[in-house]
């Protein structure tokens, strides 16, 4: 399988345009036309990850944290040189995987056995667009199907979403034009106005689909970004505490299920026997989401809380570790690659530099 085909498959579950603007995701090292049969997945591309790829004969490493984050102006990093020397490509899926429908956080919820209710925040790097197009009456279905096939019309867990209403369009064909319905002077035509939502990542494909199926020489359409986000995506999750576990039991759950030997519980005025009804979770660094979590939940499980973030928190916190809250996604990435027909190995948890840190 060529790397570019793998990237196309990735667009299906973690579109790269969902990543935050400051992020660096996708193919970071390698040639998109390279053939791959074996891959290694890991959280960080460290020495052990590269050595493992060499050892098992993998042509690709898929990581969560980007190997290259800031702009570089020379290639002297021994890890990069080693990758290039051995012809090993690197794909990183970072914040696009954090906010995707099946996200780092969904995998974390599954690991903890928690039932998800909603997203914690709808923040993504994606822009959502309202799109309006006019279509002659007889061509509505054909154009609408092409638009849906391009990925437009997705709202939360529903696809094929659109609205259409009958309108009367007018036009006058100028010299050099080739109108669908020919006539003199200002013409009237029975049309539909077709409206739908489309993600920025699908906008180009949608316009292409319109150009390929619309009967007009110059289809009339416009689109504009909206200020709300597609509920299909978001950062962090709010879960139900179905099993009625107390704060101290939840701390133990993080230890057992995430294999963090010492998750830290900050009670912030609550008793360790307190049973939260709703639990907010966010893999990685969740400190900036504490105030949102406070509005939607009674406990927040994440990593990397700073002294002042903890100090100002209005709800109890469990710092289960940046590494440990995100590591479960390494298994998920391997499963996705196996579904594509590739052989995929994981870099074991205790082989990561982040585990022993
Ligand atoms: Zn992450
Ligand atoms: Zn992270």
């Amino acid at each position: 399988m060529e790397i570019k085909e793998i990237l196309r498959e990735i667009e299906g579950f973690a579109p790269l345009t969902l990543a935050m603007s400051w992020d660096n995701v996708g193919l970071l090292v390698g040639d998109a036309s390279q053939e791959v049969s074996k891959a290694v997945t890991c959280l960080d591309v460290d020495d052990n990850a590269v050595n493992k790829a060499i050892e098992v004969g993998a042509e690709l490493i898929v990581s969560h944290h980007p190997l290259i984050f800031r702009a570089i102006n020379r290639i002297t990093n021994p890890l990069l040189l080693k990758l290039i020397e051995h012809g090993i490509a690197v794909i990183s899926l970072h914040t696009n995987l954090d906010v995707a429908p099946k996200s780092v956080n969904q995998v974390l919820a599954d690991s903890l056995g928690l039932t998800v209710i909603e997203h914690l925040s709808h923040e993504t790097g994606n822009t959502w667009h309202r799109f309006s197009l006019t279509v002659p009456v007889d061509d509505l279905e054909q154009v609408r199907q092409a638009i849906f096939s391009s990925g437009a019309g997705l709202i939360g867990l529903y696809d094929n979403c659109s609205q259409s209403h009958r309108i009367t369009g007018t036009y006058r064909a100028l010299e050099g034009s080739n109108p669908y319905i020919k006539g003199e002077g200002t013409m009237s035509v029975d049309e539909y106005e077709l409206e739908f939502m489309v993600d920025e990542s699908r906008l180009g494909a949608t316009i292409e689909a319109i150009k390929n199926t619309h009967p007009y020489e110059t289809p009339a359409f416009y689109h504009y970004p909206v200020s709300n986000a597609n509920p299909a995506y978001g950062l962090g999750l709010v879960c139900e505490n179905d099993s009625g576990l107390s704060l101290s039991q939840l701390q133990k759950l993080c230890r057992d299920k995430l294999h963090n030997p010492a998750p830290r519980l900050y009670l912030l005025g609550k008793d360790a026997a307190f049973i939260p009804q709703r639990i907010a979770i966010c893999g990685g660094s969740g400190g900036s989401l504490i105030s949102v979590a406070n509005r939607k939940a009674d406990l927040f499980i994440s990593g990397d809380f700073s002294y002042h973030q903890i100090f100002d928190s209005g709800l109890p916190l469990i710092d289960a570790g940046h590494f440990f809250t995100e590591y479960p996604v390494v298994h998920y990435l391997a499963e996705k690659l196996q579904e594509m027909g590739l052989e995929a190995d994981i870099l074991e948890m205790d082989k990561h530099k982040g585990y022993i840190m």
Side-chain angles (χ1 to χ4, degrees):
M1 190 173 200
E2 281 182 29
I3 288 181
K4 53 175 171 285
E5 294 170 65
I6 298 172
L7 289 166
R8 209 171 304 134
E9 293 289 325
I10 287 169
E11 283 301 309
F13 67 91
L16 300 182
T17 50
L18 288 180
M20 306 298 174
S21 55
W22 46 261
D23 207 358
N24 192 31
V25 298
L27 180 63
L28 303 187
V29 178
D31 172 359
S33 60
Q34 188 187 315
E35 273 291 328
V36 169
S37 61
K38 197 163 191 175
V40 166
T41 65
C42 55
L43 200 68
D44 301 286
V45 186
D46 57 21
D47 284 308
N48 286 342
V50 177
N51 290 339
K52 169 136 194 175
I54 295 169
E55 212 179 280
V56 301
E59 305 94 340
L60 173 68
I61 293 176
V62 179
S63 72
H64 180 47
H65 292 143
L67 171 65
I68 303 167
F69 198 61
R70 279 178 209 90
I72 49 174
N73 46 20
R74 63 203 72 209
I75 302 174
T76 52
N77 178 334
L79 216 52
L80 271 178
L81 290 169
K82 202 168 183 179
L83 285 163
I84 295 166
E85 185 194 328
H86 288 87
I88 299 168
V90 175
I91 293 175
S92 299
L93 306 179
H94 192 215
T95 49
N96 57 316
L97 189 59
D98 285 328
V99 304
K102 175 91 184 196
S103 60
V104 169
N105 302 305
Q106 180 66 57
V107 176
L108 174 61
D110 294 345
S111 304
L112 293 171
L114 298 172
T115 312
V116 173
I117 306 168
E118 57 172 339
H119 282 116
L120 184 54
S121 150
H122 282 296
E123 185 191 348
T124 73
N126 181 60
T127 322
W128 210 20
H129 290 245
R130 182 69 172 168
F131 203 111
S132 164
L133 168 74
T134 59
V135 198
V137 172
D138 293 341
D139 299 278
L140 177 69
E141 278 323 309
Q142 178 195 326
V143 174
R144 183 162 25 205
Q145 281 318 313
I147 285 168
F148 291 157
S149 303
S150 76
L154 171 73
I155 303 179
L157 296 176
Y158 300 84
D159 68 359
N160 294 5
C161 303
S162 74
Q163 301 81 44
S164 52
H165 53 268
R166 286 291 279 262
I167 54 164
T168 304
T170 66
Y171 66 91
R172 187 170 63 155
L174 300 177
E175 211 183 305
S177 64
N178 179 24
Y180 181 53
I181 305 162
K182 292 182 172 59
E184 292 293 313
T186 302
M187 302 283 291
S188 284
V189 54
D190 281 335
E191 294 178 315
Y192 277 100
E193 183 185 17
L194 176 62
E195 294 177 280
F196 53 90
M197 302 302 295
V198 55
D199 286 310
E200 191 187 9
S201 60
R202 303 286 175 225
L203 206 47
T206 298
I207 292 169
E208 199 53 41
I210 291 167
K211 284 187 176 151
N212 291 336
T213 52
H214 201 289
Y216 290 174
E217 181 180 26
T218 310
F221 62 81
Y222 63 88
H223 59 87
Y224 51 89
V226 297
S227 56
N228 60 322
N230 190 339
Y233 317 117
L235 201 56
L237 294 168
V238 180
C239 305
E240 197 82 62
N241 183 9
D242 325 90
S243 340
L245 298 174
S246 68
L247 292 179
S248 56
Q249 287 169 324
L250 284 156
Q251 179 187 23
K252 190 176 170 300
L253 184 78
C254 290
R255 195 183 66 204
D256 297 344
K257 301 290 184 189
L258 306 179
H259 312 287
N260 178 349
R264 299 195 65 168
L265 168 62
Y266 299 97
L267 291 170
L268 288 136
K270 288 280 188 301
D271 196 275
F274 170 73
I275 297 169
Q277 227 172 26
R278 291 194 164 185
I279 303 166
I281 60 167
C282 184
S285 296
S288 62
L289 289 169
I290 291 178
S291 55
V292 188
N294 195 22
R295 287 200 297 277
K296 295 189 171 182
D298 324 289
L299 167 70
F300 186 26
I301 301 174
S302 185
D304 282 353
F305 298 130
S306 75
Y307 176 80
H308 286 285
Q309 285 169 339
I310 300 162
F311 195 89
D312 294 332
S313 175
L315 85 170
L317 304 169
I318 292 176
D319 189 333
H322 187 132
F323 175 82
F324 296 97
T325 51
E326 290 198 315
Y327 185 79
V329 87
V330 170
H331 289 277
Y332 170 69
L333 287 174
E335 283 162 28
K336 293 307 283 185
L337 294 169
Q338 284 156 1
E339 279 172 26
M340 297 175 202
L342 296 170
E343 242 185 282
D345 258 337
I346 58 157
L347 182 68
E348 298 79 0
M349 186 175 229
D350 58 358
K351 297 287 186 322
H352 279 74
K353 192 176 163 193
Y355 178 80
I356 44 171
M357 258 160 45

